[in-house]
Amino acid sequence: MDNCIFCRIAEGGIPAKIVYQDDQVLAFEDIHAQAPVHILVIPKRHVAAVQDCQTGDQALLGHLLLTCSKVARMKNLTESGYRIVTNTGADSGQTVFHLHLHVLGGRPMAWPPG
Ligand code: AMP
Ligand code: ZN
């Protein structure tokens, strides 16, 4: 999609520190890391947010979560723990309207979020 920064990253038009990819998904380091490990997992195809997914996207959504788990293993977070977040809409603070799951770890985190 034009003017979507994550589509451009997925197409290779904007550089990113990629940690994993396959035919459907891409995982790369967040440019403003909020924790020692902060990876974004996105579908390569443009979807704005979870609420824009359809029944036919079930496999993709599952694959995104499994990719978060894979990334957490790659970053040795399985023992210490980590957080998976997907912001949706204005109140959540979503700033990039291409579906992405944040994988955050490497430090203790507070709950509830601010
Ligand atoms: P959200 O606020 O949930 O929409 O998260 C968007 C995230 O994308 C933020 O954590 C940004 O730091 C991150 N981000 C924005 N542009 C880039 C980029 N070019 N490369 C990597 N991460 C980015
Ligand atoms: Zn996009």
Side-chain angles (χ1 to χ4, degrees), residues 43-113:
K44 288 187 170 177
R45 171 169 66 84
H46 184 87
V47 181
V50 171
Q51 64 192 8
D52 300 296
C53 290
Q54 312 295 326
T55 307
D57 296 317
Q58 279 188 41
L60 176 64
L61 289 169
H63 189 51
L64 285 165
L65 264 184
L66 287 171
T67 302
C68 291
S69 169
K70 186 191 292 281
V71 165
R73 266 199 311 280
M74 289 168 62
K75 296 292 181 180
N76 297 312
L77 296 175
T78 305
E79 291 291 318
S80 54
Y82 54 95
R83 186 172 290 174
I84 299 171
V85 174
T86 184
N87 293 319
T88 305
D91 273 1
S92 75
Q94 184 177 9
T95 57
V96 176
F97 292 86
H98 178 129
L99 174 62
H100 52 282
L101 282 71
H102 299 254
V103 179
L104 297 144
R107 65 167 172 82
M109 278 168 249
W111 189 264

Side-chain angles (χ1 to χ4, degrees), residues 1 4 6-7 46 98:
M1 180 187 239
C4 172
F6 286 179
C7 279
H46 184 87
H98 178 129

Side-chain angles (χ1 to χ4, degrees), residues 26-43:
L26 180 68
F28 55 96
E29 292 183 11
D30 194 295
I31 204 165
H32 296 301
Q34 301 299 319
V37 176
H38 188 171
I39 306 292
L40 301 174
V41 178
I42 70 168

Side-chain angles (χ1 to χ4, degrees), residues 14-34:
I14 292 179
K17 292 184 178 167
I18 293 169
V19 298
Y20 174 80
Q21 66 176 315
D22 60 28
D23 58 326
Q24 293 182 75
V25 303
L26 180 68
F28 55 96
E29 292 183 11
D30 194 295
I31 204 165
H32 296 301
Q34 301 299 319

